Amino acid sequence: MGFAGAMAVAMAVDALLGWPSWLFARIGHPVTWLGRLISAIDAAWNRASDPPAFRRAAGVAGALVVIALSVALGWMLQSLLPWGWIEIVLVGVLAWPLVALRSLHDHVAAVATPLHAGDIVAAREAVSRIVGRDPATLDEAGIARAAIESLAENASDGIVAPVFWGALFGLPGILGYKAINTLDSMIGHRSERHEAFGWAAARIDDVANFIPARLTGFLFVLLAARRSEALSCMTRDARRHRSPNAGWPEAAMAGALGVRLSGPRIYHGSITNEPWLNDGARDPLAADISQGLTIYRRAMLLLAGVLAILALA
């Protein structure tokens, strides 16, 4: 339970400080360090001339190397720390960069502010930093929908999941999870280059996020004003999502806000026909982003409180 306290410390430090731009300019960020390693392995091992089966095997090996190195680094750092409350605090400080609590809030709030003011151009620019869909095609509802979906999904991937694995295993757990999640975001998609090589990264990420995604959804349900609608939407629509995990927090948020999410969207000029979550509800507006952020803040505060209680139990 000591690691639960460490994760509460990490959340508190990140909520207060985020990851300062001056620090990023000087040393980067652990995720960018992981990204360089993954890019190097991708360039060296993912050869277009190799058959798909060989590329898949290379992708499995590459993913395991990145994860193993991350877990080993976490174990080594943790083994050097003194026992007791000092260890809890130091583990929390070292885990702080791996919890994107403030960054997610600020990026989504940056979409809500110009959208409230009616500045569609600035809102499109802000939302393009957090989603991959074509921003030029988005109206107010499309911008709000993209921001709320990003908030819900990344609350799971960026905060709840790393904290969950960190609470269980400390630095090896949170570093291992961030390696898995970064692998998935970089090579786990179904492109021609990564269909085979990224297969293992995507499957491992699905397993790692199975519990955290559902936990995030239930946190949103608990903190929603429309609890019954949020629970009903989550249990009904979560499995309709293309992702086995992202549908849980997104459907819970859709029901909590009384809006419809997902649905058709445009990527690189092509329409992707995704099913609606909470179909039949109204389209979201700028005010719904703000309400979603309120639910998010309360959910993260509840999570931090539970971790602190577990640490003291």
Side-chain angles (χ1 to χ4, degrees):
M1 291 298 99
F3 292 140
M7 293 306 106
V9 170
M11 292 181 72
V13 174
D14 189 71
L16 290 172
L17 301 179
W19 189 247
S21 56
W22 63 265
L23 189 57
F24 181 83
R26 284 168 174 76
I27 66 170
H29 187 274
V31 172
T32 64
W33 307 339
L34 278 168
R36 293 191 193 103
L37 174 60
I38 295 166
S39 293
I41 291 175
D42 185 27
W45 296 5
N46 186 14
R47 295 184 291 265
S49 58
D50 290 334
F54 190 89
R55 294 174 78 178
R56 176 176 286 197
V60 172
L64 292 178
V65 165
V66 173
I67 297 166
L69 286 174
S70 300
V71 170
L73 176 61
W75 176 84
M76 182 186 70
L77 290 172
Q78 196 163 280
S79 67
L80 296 174
L81 300 177
W83 291 94
W85 281 100
I86 295 177
E87 180 190 25
I88 292 174
V89 173
L90 291 177
V91 168
V93 171
L94 290 171
W96 150 45
L98 306 174
V99 180
L101 193 151
R102 181 162 181 166
S103 174
L104 176 58
H105 181 279
D106 290 350
H107 277 89
V108 175
V111 180
T113 300
L115 200 60
H116 273 296
D119 190 345
I120 296 293
V121 174
R124 284 173 176 161
E125 170 66 23
V127 83
S128 70
R129 301 189 190 108
I130 58 175
V131 298
R133 65 199 71 174
D134 295 339
T137 65
L138 300 177
D139 56 8
E140 180 182 1
I143 294 169
R145 184 176 298 115
I148 294 168
E149 289 170 10
S150 181
L151 175 66
E153 181 177 1
N154 286 296
S156 175
D157 293 357
I159 300 98
V160 177
V163 163
F164 174 82
W165 291 108
L168 288 178
F169 303 112
L171 289 177
I174 194 168
L175 274 167
Y177 173 78
K178 291 306 287 190
I180 291 168
N181 189 243
T182 307
L183 279 161
D184 180 64
S185 66
M186 292 185 66
I187 65 171
H189 36 83
R190 292 186 173 180
S191 64
E192 182 179 351
R193 176 170 176 79
H194 293 118
E195 178 75 30
F197 189 77
W199 174 84
R203 300 292 80 76
I204 296 170
D205 185 76
D206 288 344
V207 173
N209 281 297
F210 185 87
I211 295 174
R214 287 148 182 81
L215 176 59
T216 307
F218 279 107
L219 283 172
F220 290 160
V221 168
L222 286 174
L223 277 304
R226 304 177 177 88
R227 287 192 187 91
S228 61
E229 291 93 332
L231 180 61
S232 175
C233 184
M234 183 178 70
T235 54
R236 183 188 67 240
D237 290 349
R239 294 176 182 84
R240 303 182 67 201
H241 199 281
R242 68 188 182 280
S243 164
N245 295 317
W248 291 82
E250 287 188 25
M253 186 64 82
L257 299 177
V259 301
R260 63 176 184 170
L261 298 177
S262 196
R265 71 279 308 278
I266 299 176
Y267 292 101
H268 309 295
S270 300
I271 297 178
T272 301
N273 287 310
E274 301 291 346
W276 290 105
L277 302 178
N278 207 21
D279 192 15
R282 63 178 176 83
D283 285 322
L285 301 172
D288 295 302
I289 304 178
S290 299
Q291 183 59 37
L293 284 167
T294 298
I295 294 172
Y296 165 78
R297 288 192 296 268
R298 291 173 178 171
M300 296 306 103
L301 184 61
L302 175 59
L303 177 60
V306 169
L307 290 169
I309 291 170
L310 288 174
L312 295 171

